[in-house]
Amino acid sequence: MSTRRDWATLEALALSPKGQLRYSRDAGLEDILAASEDSCKISPYCAWVLNNIVTKQTEDIPLAIELSSPPKSHDKPETEFCKPSEDSLTETKSPVKLNSSRVEGTILLYESWRKMDTQDKLQQRVELMEQHSKAVANQAVEQLKRYDEMMELKLRQEQDQRREMLEKSYKEALGQQEKLKEQHRHRAKLLNLKLREAEQQRQQEQERLRQEEGRERMRKLCALQQEVLQLVQQMEPNYKQQGSLRLDLSAYSNRGNQLCSMLSNVVRSCSERGFPTQEDISVGDRAVQEMRALVSNMHRDVAAAEGKKRAEEDAAKEKQKAAEIEQQAKAQAPAPAPHQIQTRKQGLQKKAPKSLLQRYRQTLNKCDECLKSIDQLITSKDTQVKMMKTELQKAVTTPVAQISTIGGTRLRDIFDKLNNLLIGKEVSSRNRSISVKAHPQGLEFAYYKLAEKFVKQGEEEVAAHHESAFCIGVVVSGIWELHPRVGELFLAHLYKKCPYTLPYYPSYKEGTPLEDYQRELGYLVVNGNVEQQDVFLKRMSGMIRLYAATIQLRWPYGTGQGPHPHGLNHGWSWLAHMLNTEPLSDITPTLLFDFLEVCGNALLEQYQGQFWKLLQLLKDEYIQRIEMNVDSTQMGAVNRLREFLRVTFQHKEIPLPKGYLEPSFWRR
């Protein structure tokens, strides 16, 4: 068969129904099943079959159908299947004629192979599916394990959360418990505080009752002292008659004075330590009873002496004529002094000299007269006058209260402000202008209030800060020099509050209320309560220091032409009078120490040797007299004075006091 004819056959086959068949080596199981349902079509390998047959008809080689040649990815079963049998090889060696039946047989053979191959692949796919199912099952088992583990983890987490919640609740409960404990402690603390407050109130109530009882005992003791003083006063008329009655009553008088001194010491010691005890009241009662007995016995003795005197006078009347010549002779002869006067011990004065008393009363009268002259201004009900009085008082007292040791420039401004006010100029007081000419009594009111404020600064400011005495004293000295009326009122207020600056020790007068007598001594008495002794001594110390600073200073910017209005000669006189007067417990050593500490240097520079003699007298004799009049509880002031004198005689000088105004002070 020629080649052209073979290709014609091939074309005929291609146009046949089987020749229209399509094959795909990659077709899946679904495609194979779908293709099996279609009508039979020619295989696409027909051309390959014909080509191999035609080309190898005349060759003596076996026909090998290598199924792996067209698609090299065919498996081994397919290759073996494509190898033709020996019969077929034999047949191919001989010239045969191809026909359609043979080709169709070959195609059917290939299709059966493809079916087998498909089954193998399907089997492989089933195995793969089984393996996949097994893998999926294993995966499901593993996922189930993971799920169990996840659930176990979740359960464990929930248990941990519950455990944490329990622990948190436990901690909250502990915190609440601690909070309750803290509240309990706070309530206990408040309760303890309330208990302490109640205890303090109870103690305060007990203290109040104790003070009331003490004040009652003090009033009773003062009443006993007053009665003793009155009984002593009752002795004086009888004591004065002892010369005419030829009766010695000195024993009664001495014992009465001893009882008065003893009771005064008891009252003074009680004032220092607070309140008297029942034992002190008992001492006062015994003193009063003994005093009454003394007065009764004295009256009995005086009555007996008077009866005896009357009897002697009756007997003497019969011899009157005979005795006239003898009596006239006795009248012409000098009368002998009484025995008591001849043997009387010469000592210190117990009362101030009449000149001092006269000066004391005159000075206080000036203060009372000034107060009466401004009575209309003080007692006025007019609002305008009241406001003017208040502003004028502030203009006087405010600058004085601002006096300090900061420097001379500030001190000079204060002095000029006070001086301008007193000479009639307008001055500003809290953004208001005021003048003493605003009222007819304005100037006298300013004098009175300024002097009063100076003394008040002494008992308050100087008492607390001793060095301020010189700044206040130099202003007092300068104002005194320009306005003598202020100096007179200054002394009046000073003598009224501190009579020891005269010096004057007020004595008790019969019928004088005890509170008035205590005020006369300088004590502050408020609602029947007398100030403590240490407070009293502190105020007296401040005023005597201000007085000592004033008498030695002069205002440096004044004229300086005349003498000091109240100079050091008054300091010498004060010290001489103090040493000539019987000392009074602890007030005398306190005032002597303060005065000498402030003014001792100036007096030594002024009087030289005479002042040393005065100090020697104080050291050798007077200080021993002071010790005789004080008890052991009042020795502090005596020891300070003794030490001051010891250091003074050791160094032969008295140093400048603390706060003394040096020349550099006025340049500040």
Side-chain angles (χ1 to χ4, degrees):
M1 185 180 297
S2 63
T3 305
R4 181 182 58 78
R5 187 181 175 184
D6 292 336
W7 280 109
T9 303
L10 185 57
E11 289 176 357
L13 289 172
L15 295 173
S16 65
K18 288 187 178 182
Q20 300 295 326
L21 294 176
R22 299 289 183 267
Y23 295 95
S24 175
R25 283 181 288 180
D26 298 328
L29 180 61
E30 292 82 5
D31 297 332
I32 296 173
L33 294 176
S36 63
E37 295 178 358
D38 296 337
S39 59
C40 240
K41 297 182 181 179
I42 194 170
S43 175
Y45 294 96
C46 294
W48 177 79
V49 174
L50 293 176
N51 198 13
N52 282 295
I53 294 175
V54 171
T55 53
K56 296 181 179 180
Q57 283 181 355
T58 56
E59 295 181 3
D60 251 25
I61 60 174
L63 176 62
I65 302 172
E66 296 179 4
L67 298 178
S68 59
S69 298
K72 294 186 179 182
S73 62
H74 290 321
D75 295 332
K76 181 177 179 181
E78 183 179 352
T79 305
E80 294 177 352
F81 181 76
C82 293
K83 292 181 179 180
S85 61
E86 294 180 1
D87 295 336
S88 61
L89 292 175
T90 306
E91 290 179 359
T92 55
K93 293 180 180 180
S94 63
V96 289
K97 203 185 254 192
L98 291 176
N99 53 31
S100 59
S101 58
R102 191 174 182 180
V103 171
E104 291 176 358
T106 304
I107 292 171
L108 289 174
L109 182 62
Y110 181 80
E111 288 178 352
S112 63
W113 173 81
R114 291 290 298 174
K115 187 178 293 186
M116 292 174 62
D117 182 67
T118 301
Q119 290 177 354
D120 292 337
K121 290 182 177 181
L122 183 60
Q123 185 66 31
Q124 292 177 2
R125 182 67 60 85
V126 170
E127 291 175 357
L128 289 174
M129 291 297 293
E130 290 176 354
Q131 293 176 1
H132 181 70
S133 299
K134 190 180 293 184
V136 170
N138 293 334
Q139 185 178 3
V141 171
E142 292 297 326
Q143 288 181 353
L144 182 61
K145 290 181 180 180
R146 301 292 85 77
Y147 177 79
D148 293 336
E149 292 174 356
M150 184 66 69
M151 293 301 294
E152 184 179 357
L153 177 62
K154 187 175 181 180
L155 180 61
R156 189 162 49 251
Q157 289 177 349
E158 290 178 353
Q159 291 177 353
D160 292 338
Q161 289 179 357
R162 284 194 293 271
R163 189 180 299 108
E164 289 176 358
M165 290 177 64
L166 289 175
E167 291 177 356
K168 186 176 180 181
S169 300
Y170 177 72
K171 290 180 180 179
E172 290 178 354
L174 288 178
Q176 189 69 19
Q177 186 178 5
E178 289 296 327
K179 187 176 180 180
L180 292 174
K181 289 181 179 179
E182 183 64 25
Q183 291 178 355
H184 176 70
R185 286 193 292 269
H186 182 65
R187 292 193 185 96
K189 187 176 180 180
L190 292 177
L191 183 60
N192 292 333
L193 183 61
K194 291 181 179 179
L195 290 175
R196 285 197 297 271
E197 290 178 354
E199 181 65 18
Q200 290 178 358
Q201 290 179 358
R202 186 182 64 81
Q203 293 178 357
Q204 290 176 358
E205 183 65 20
Q206 291 179 353
E207 181 65 18
R208 185 183 64 80
L209 294 175
R210 187 185 69 81
Q211 290 182 357
E212 289 181 357
E213 293 174 358
R215 284 193 289 269
E216 183 63 26
R217 289 194 296 269
M218 191 66 185
R219 285 192 289 268
K220 186 175 180 180
L221 187 61
C222 292
L224 293 175
Q225 184 186 19
Q226 184 176 3
E227 185 176 355
V228 169
L229 291 173
Q230 291 174 354
L231 292 173
V232 169
Q233 295 294 330
Q234 293 178 11
M235 286 183 175
E236 291 184 0
N238 296 327
Y239 187 79
K240 293 178 181 179
Q241 297 176 4
Q242 65 178 348
S244 60
L245 297 175
R246 295 189 299 277
L247 182 66
D248 187 8
L249 301 177
S250 59
Y252 295 106
S253 179
N254 292 335
R255 182 53 183 168
N257 291 330
Q258 289 177 0
L259 291 175
C260 288
S261 300
M262 180 190 68
L263 195 55
S264 297
N265 291 331
V266 170
V267 173
R268 191 174 296 110
S269 62
C270 292
S271 299
E272 291 176 355
R273 71 171 179 264
F275 300 106
T277 61
Q278 193 61 38
E279 184 178 355
D280 297 327
I281 301 297
S282 301
V283 171
D285 288 331
R286 289 195 296 270
V288 171
Q289 292 175 3
E290 186 176 355
M291 197 68 192
R292 290 171 181 170
L294 286 175
V295 173
S296 178
N297 293 335
M298 178 182 278
H299 289 165
R300 185 178 65 251
D301 292 342
V302 169
E306 289 177 350
K308 184 177 180 181
K309 182 181 179 181
R310 284 194 298 269
E312 291 174 355
E313 289 175 354
D314 293 337
K317 286 179 181 180
E318 298 175 356
K319 301 178 181 180
Q320 185 174 5
K321 293 180 181 180
E324 287 179 356
I325 298 174
E326 186 178 354
Q327 288 178 357
Q328 290 176 358
K330 289 182 179 180
Q332 293 175 357
H339 176 70
Q340 290 78 8
I341 298 177
Q342 292 176 357
T343 61
R344 180 180 176 186
K345 182 180 178 181
Q346 297 295 328
L348 300 178
Q349 299 175 358
K350 294 185 177 181
K351 295 183 179 181
K354 292 183 179 180
S355 59
L356 281 181
L357 290 176
Q358 185 177 3
R359 192 172 74 183
Y360 176 74
R361 294 191 180 95
Q362 288 176 354
T363 306
L364 292 185
N365 289 337
K366 290 179 181 179
C367 185
D368 295 337
E369 291 172 1
C370 180
L371 190 60
K372 290 179 181 179
S373 65
I374 60 176
D375 182 68
Q376 182 180 355
L377 175 60
I378 296 176
T379 59
S380 177
K381 303 297 183 180
D382 187 15
T383 306
Q384 297 275 342
V385 176
K386 285 184 179 180
M387 187 177 298
M388 186 273 298
K389 179 189 68 175
T390 303
E391 294 298 331
L392 189 59
Q393 183 172 346
K394 290 179 181 178
V396 170
T397 58
T398 302
V400 178
Q402 294 173 350
I403 296 176
S404 63
T405 59
I406 58 176
T409 304
R410 177 62 177 162
L411 200 62
R412 187 174 182 180
D413 293 339
I414 293 173
F415 180 86
D416 291 340
K417 191 172 184 178
L418 293 173
N419 185 45
N420 291 335
L421 177 67
L422 297 179
I423 63 178
K425 293 183 179 180
E426 287 190 356
V427 296
S428 60
S429 174
R430 297 187 179 182
N431 300 326
R432 291 185 181 181
S433 296
I434 189 65
S435 172
V436 294
K437 297 179 180 179
H439 193 274
Q441 301 172 4
L443 181 59
E444 198 71 9
F445 178 79
Y447 285 156
Y448 185 87
K449 288 297 179 180
L450 181 58
E452 183 182 44
K453 183 61 177 178
F454 279 144
V455 176
K456 192 172 184 64
Q457 285 294 98
E459 67 175 334
E460 292 180 357
E461 180 65 22
V462 180
H465 307 92
H466 292 168
E467 63 275 7
S468 64
F470 292 93
C471 290
I472 301 174
V474 74
V475 175
V476 174
S477 176
I479 295 294
W480 195 339
E481 185 176 354
L482 297 176
H483 308 277
R485 181 65 169 162
V486 177
E488 294 176 356
L489 295 174
F490 172 74
L491 284 179
H493 285 290
L494 196 62
Y495 292 164
K496 188 175 182 180
K497 289 191 174 183
C498 181
Y500 314 104
T501 54
L502 186 58
Y504 168 54
Y505 296 148
S507 59
Y508 181 79
K509 297 179 182 179
E510 185 179 359
T512 304
L514 182 59
E515 292 184 2
D516 294 344
Y517 177 60
Q518 290 170 335
R519 290 190 181 96
E520 191 176 0
L521 290 173
Y523 288 89
L524 291 179
V525 183
V526 181
N527 297 328
N529 298 323
V530 185
E531 68 177 334
Q532 299 294 328
Q533 185 70 10
D534 56 343
V535 179
F536 166 74
L537 292 175
K538 186 176 181 180
R539 289 194 309 105
M540 299 300 109
S541 173
M543 286 184 281
I544 197 65
R545 283 177 176 271
L546 176 60
Y547 178 72
T550 303
I551 63 177
Q552 65 176 300
L553 295 174
R554 296 199 70 173
W555 182 248
Y557 302 104
T559 59
Q561 297 177 357
H564 193 291
H566 198 83
L568 277 174
N569 58 320
H570 291 274
W572 176 270
S573 176
W574 182 88
L575 190 57
H577 281 300
M578 285 289 288
L579 297 181
N580 285 326
T581 306
E582 189 72 27
L584 182 63
S585 76
D586 54 351
I587 185 65
T588 299
T590 299
L591 296 179
L592 283 172
F593 171 77
D594 291 326
F595 185 84
L596 290 175
E597 189 179 45
V598 176
C599 199
N601 180 272
L603 288 172
L604 180 60
E605 187 176 347
Q606 178 78 15
Y607 297 103
Q608 298 295 328
Q610 296 297 323
F611 185 68
W612 280 113
K613 293 179 181 178
L614 209 61
L615 291 180
Q616 191 70 42
L617 174 65
L618 171 61
K619 178 175 179 293
D620 296 340
E621 299 182 15
Y622 193 74
I623 197 169
Q624 297 176 2
R625 196 62 175 259
I626 294 175
E627 292 177 345
M628 295 172 58
N629 291 293
V630 298
D631 54 22
S632 59
T633 62
Q634 301 171 341
M635 290 299 294
V638 179
N639 293 333
R640 285 195 301 271
L641 179 60
R642 186 186 297 278
E643 180 64 18
F644 175 82
L645 293 173
R646 186 190 67 79
V647 174
T648 298
F649 279 94
Q650 180 180 354
H651 296 89
K652 300 300 180 182
E653 66 173 359
I654 299 178
L656 286 174
K658 184 179 180 181
Y660 186 79
L661 304 182
E662 300 285 352
S664 60
F665 172 81
W666 301 102
R667 294 192 292 270
R668 285 188 284 176

